[in-house]
Amino acid sequence: MDRITVRRGRELIVLHESEILCFTSRDHFTCVITKDAEHRIELSLNRLEAHLDPKVFKRLHRNTLVRESAVRSAQGGPRMRVRLVNGLELSVSRANRGAVRERALTTMARGRP
């Protein structure tokens, strides 16, 4: 899946994968977050994750999938968080902290910002 269609009022908008920063689950909806907006869709995160490229989108928490290249920084400690390019901060679950740390170290070793 490299595109997703969202509804804004009566209008349907096609978002390319590269526009999407993350998906979060809230109030029985999945929110698609871009740099400029937030849209609701009715697909579950589990269904989305099954169709998204696992090299591009990573699970941070049971309620969050993030496009790895949208992460600008990670803050460690007992409540690990990541900050996205738009300033949004997201929690990382205990189960996913090790993977997030490993990806951050790998990215730094490659010299990527």
Side-chain angles (χ1 to χ4, degrees):
M1 177 187 302
D2 62 348
R3 293 178 297 201
I4 190 163
T5 303
V6 297
R7 184 180 298 275
R8 183 171 56 195
R10 298 161 112 188
E11 183 179 20
L12 292 176
I13 301 168
V14 177
L15 297 174
H16 190 272
E17 175 187 276
S18 64
E19 297 176 81
I20 300 168
L21 302 180
C22 67
F23 298 94
T24 61
S25 179
R26 281 188 240 143
D27 301 323
H28 306 290
F29 286 96
T30 297
C31 297
V32 181
I33 299 174
T34 65
K35 286 184 180 181
D36 307 320
E38 185 175 305
H39 308 277
R40 285 185 179 183
I41 58 173
E42 293 188 24
L43 288 173
S44 72
L45 283 181
N46 288 334
R47 281 193 64 192
L48 276 170
E49 188 173 28
H51 294 286
L52 294 169
D53 184 348
K55 294 176 188 167
V56 176
F57 284 92
K58 306 292 184 183
R59 181 73 75 154
L60 287 185
H61 199 279
R62 65 184 166 87
N63 66 357
T64 310
L65 283 169
V66 68
R67 185 167 50 90
E68 191 171 23
S69 64
V71 175
R72 281 296 163 244
S73 63
Q75 175 186 350
R79 294 188 179 189
M80 184 178 221
R81 300 181 68 75
V82 297
R83 183 182 307 264
L84 303 185
V85 294
N86 67 344
L88 180 65
E89 287 192 8
L90 300 169
S91 296
V92 179
S93 70
R94 277 183 262 145
N96 291 316
R97 286 181 192 154
V100 170
R101 273 191 212 101
E102 185 178 315
R103 285 193 303 267
L105 291 173
T106 302
T107 301
M108 286 190 302
R110 283 190 225 140
R112 267 183 43 199

